[in-house]
Every structure is written in structure tokens, then in C-alpha cells.
């Protein structure tokens, strides 16, 4: 069942690319497996998934030890500074950098472990009170500071668009994130690139792909609805 759903999501990504003349190889599907038990992740793995997204440090650590080592783990949830040390050398990318203090903690812990961590800056494009993330106007000044960091590499931007009935409503949000990334890529930073745009979830990933997403984070369409009452 999961295999069919992975195929179906991949097919929809291809169709969204075709609609706007994008090469589907530019878009990577991240299977968002938060709250889901290991056997379901194994099914997704067997269906070819190698990129998995989780939003809790403890859950990444537990699953990391139980699943094959060629999986790339993406930290997509709000990250507390005191927990950075547990995952800094386990994750392939942290999508949720939303403050200078968090970036400093990541740089520091990565330095101690001797690694360089690819990160994305999370932008609260729609300025929702309930969401974490930088304001659009805070992103460029933060880039100027982070350009000098040696153990953290800003690769692009991430946003969580509002929950809407019609995904078309989020098109302006995705467009705004894309424009911000283009604007920043025109500044000549030494260490910062804007090659990654992490946007689009189950309800709106096709619109996000049409607007330039390079990473889409899809949970429900692959694994089904989440039950937050269940233990992992
Ligand atoms: C849960 C989550 C997703 C996946 O959401 P679905 O609607 O289930 O696809 C994507 N991104 C983030 C940051 C999430 O927390």
C-alpha cells in the first residue's frame, strides 16, 4: 500500500513538473514519517525512499538506530538549542533554522563533532502567529551573519504554508519564498547558496513544485493520517 502511495506521489510530482516544463530530477521527495512506526518506514524504504523527514529529536535518534544507514534524515521540526548535539552528525539537513541563536548552537556543536551541517532558513512567509520561522525581512540580515560560520552551510529556504482548503491559495506564499531565494542568490555570499527550496506538503505539493520547490515534504499522502494519540 505504501509502495503504491509513494509511486502515486512521485507521479504527481512528475506531472506538476511537466505542467511548467521543469525537469523532475530537480525535485526530491522527502517521506515525512513522524509518529509512524518503523515497519511502515521500512515499507517506504523498500519502495525506494531514502529521504525521511522527522520533527522530533528523540524520534530521529530512535529510528536512526533501527533503520538502514543509507537513509538521509531531515530535521523538519522546531529545534531546541539544547538538543542540537544529539542530531547534528545524524541528519543530512536541518530545515528549521529560525534564529541566530539556534544557528550558533548548530555551528558550535558541528564544530565539536568536526562536521559541516547543511541547513535551511525557515521563513514564516504568511506571518502566521502559530508558526515558527523568520520574517521575510529578517532573512537577508541573518544570511550576512551566517556567511562567516564555518560549520554550518546555508543551502536555501524552507516554509510551511498555511492549511488551506484550496492549494491555489498558497501559490503566492511559494512564489514569495522563491523570489526571496532568488534575491539572496544575487548577493555574493561566500558560503551561502540558495539551491534548495523546501516547500509543499500533502495538500499543496503540486503547486509548490510548479513554483520551484526542490524538496517536497509529504507525510499523509504516503503514510496515511497521523494518530497523535498513539505511541511510536
Ligand atoms: C508534518 C509535516 C509535513 C508533512 O505534512 P503532510 O500534510 O502530512 O504531508 C511537512 N512538513 C513539516 C514541517 C511537517 O511538520
Amino acid at each position: 500500500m505504501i509502495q503504491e502511495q509513494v509511486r502515486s506521489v512521485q507521479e504527481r510530482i512528475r506531472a506538476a513538473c511537466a505542467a511548467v516544463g521543469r525537469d523532475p530530477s530537480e525535485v526530491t521527495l522527502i517521506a515525512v514519517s513522524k509518529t509512524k512506526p518503523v515497519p511502515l518506514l521500512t515499507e517506504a524504504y523498500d519502495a525506494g525512499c531514502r529521504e525521511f523527514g522527522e520533527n522530533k529529536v528523540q524520534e530521529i535518534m530512535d529510528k536512526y538506530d533501527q533503520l538502514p544507514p543509507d537513509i538521509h534524515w531531515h530535521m523538519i521540526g522546531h529545534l531546541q538549542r539544547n538538543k542540537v548535539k544529539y542530531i547534528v552528525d545524524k541528519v543530512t539537513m536541518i530545515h528549521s533554522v529560525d534564529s541566530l541563536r539556534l544557528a550558533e548552537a548548530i555551528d558550535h556543536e558541528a564544530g565539536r563533532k568536526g562536521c559541516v551541517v547543511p541547513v535551511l532558513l525557515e521563513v514564516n512567509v504568511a506571518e502566521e502567529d502559530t508558526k515558527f520561522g523568520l520574517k521575510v525581512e529578517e532573512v537577508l540580515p541573518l544570511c550576512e551573519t551566517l556567511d562567516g560560520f564555518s560549520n554550518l552551510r546555508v543551502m536555501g529556504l524552507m516554509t510551511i504554508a498555511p492549511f488551506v482548503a484550496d492549494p491555489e491559495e498558497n501559490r503566492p506564499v511559494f512564489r514569495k519564498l522563491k523570489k526571496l531565494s532568488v534575491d539572496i542568490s544575487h548577493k555574493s555570499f561566500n558560503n551561502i547558496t540558495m539551491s534548495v527550496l523546501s516547500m509543499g506538503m500533502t495538500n499543496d505539493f503540486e503547486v509548490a513544485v510548479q513554483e520551484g520547490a526542490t524538496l517536497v515534504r509529504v507525510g499523509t499522502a504516503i503514510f496515511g493520517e497521523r494518530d497523535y494519540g498513539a505511541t511510536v
Side-chain angles (χ1 to χ4, degrees):
M1 187 184 83
I2 286 193
Q3 180 175 339
E4 284 157 25
Q5 289 176 170
V6 170
R7 294 240 168 97
S8 151
V9 170
Q10 278 163 344
E11 189 44 52
R12 287 166 63 189
I13 291 172
R14 270 193 293 277
C17 285
V20 294
R22 288 189 72 192
D23 178 348
S25 70
E26 292 172 11
V27 183
T28 300
L29 171 62
I30 299 175
V32 176
S33 47
K34 62 191 189 195
T35 79
K36 298 296 177 182
V38 166
L40 288 190
L41 277 73
T42 301
E43 264 192 65
Y45 180 89
D46 291 340
C49 293
R50 293 296 178 272
E51 314 295 320
F52 286 80
E54 290 282 345
N55 68 343
K56 292 213 162 65
V57 166
Q58 186 63 51
E59 211 171 325
I60 291 182
M61 291 167 67
D62 292 346
K63 289 174 174 173
Y64 183 93
D65 288 334
Q66 296 180 63
L67 282 144
D70 62 339
I71 286 180
H72 294 151
W73 295 97
H74 295 256
M75 176 56 185
I76 62 174
H78 184 64
L79 181 55
Q80 286 169 296
R81 282 175 290 139
N82 62 344
K83 293 191 176 160
V84 167
K85 56 178 176 287
Y86 301 117
I87 57 156
V88 80
D89 56 348
K90 292 191 166 65
V91 295
T92 200
M93 187 173 276
I94 298 173
H95 293 226
S96 43
V97 172
D98 59 0
S99 71
L100 175 58
R101 294 178 77 201
L102 175 59
E104 284 169 343
I106 294 170
D107 190 54
H108 177 74
E109 290 299 335
R112 284 166 50 117
K113 298 238 163 72
C115 59
V116 176
V117 187
V119 306
L120 305 178
L121 303 180
E122 179 173 354
V123 190
N124 185 358
V125 176
E127 302 202 0
E128 290 180 285
D129 292 341
T130 51
K131 293 222 167 92
F132 293 103
L134 300 154
K135 290 185 180 158
V136 167
E137 62 270 22
E138 291 173 331
V139 178
L140 183 58
L142 183 58
C143 285
E144 277 156 9
T145 307
L146 300 186
D147 197 32
F149 283 29
S150 24
N151 295 92
L152 160 156
R153 200 69 82 238
V154 178
M155 305 297 296
L157 306 177
M158 177 271 224
T159 197
I160 304 174
F163 188 79
V164 290
D166 177 0
E168 283 299 329
E169 289 177 55
N170 281 336
R171 194 179 290 278
V173 172
F174 298 139
R175 220 167 252 185
K176 203 165 170 183
L177 194 72
K178 170 73 184 184
K179 181 181 184 302
L180 180 62
S181 87
V182 170
D183 289 349
I184 293 172
S185 69
H186 288 155
K187 313 271 171 193
S188 42
F189 288 115
N190 293 317
N191 293 316
I192 290 179
T193 66
M194 282 287 139
S195 52
V196 177
L197 216 47
S198 170
M199 58 189 195
M201 302 167 41
T202 291
N203 286 317
D204 55 20
F205 70 86
E206 286 144 311
V207 175
V209 166
Q210 289 170 4
E211 295 301 328
T214 68
L215 296 179
V216 292
R217 310 177 307 266
V218 177
T220 309
I222 294 174
F223 295 105
E225 295 288 336
R226 285 177 291 274
D227 177 1
Y228 284 99
T231 50
V232 174

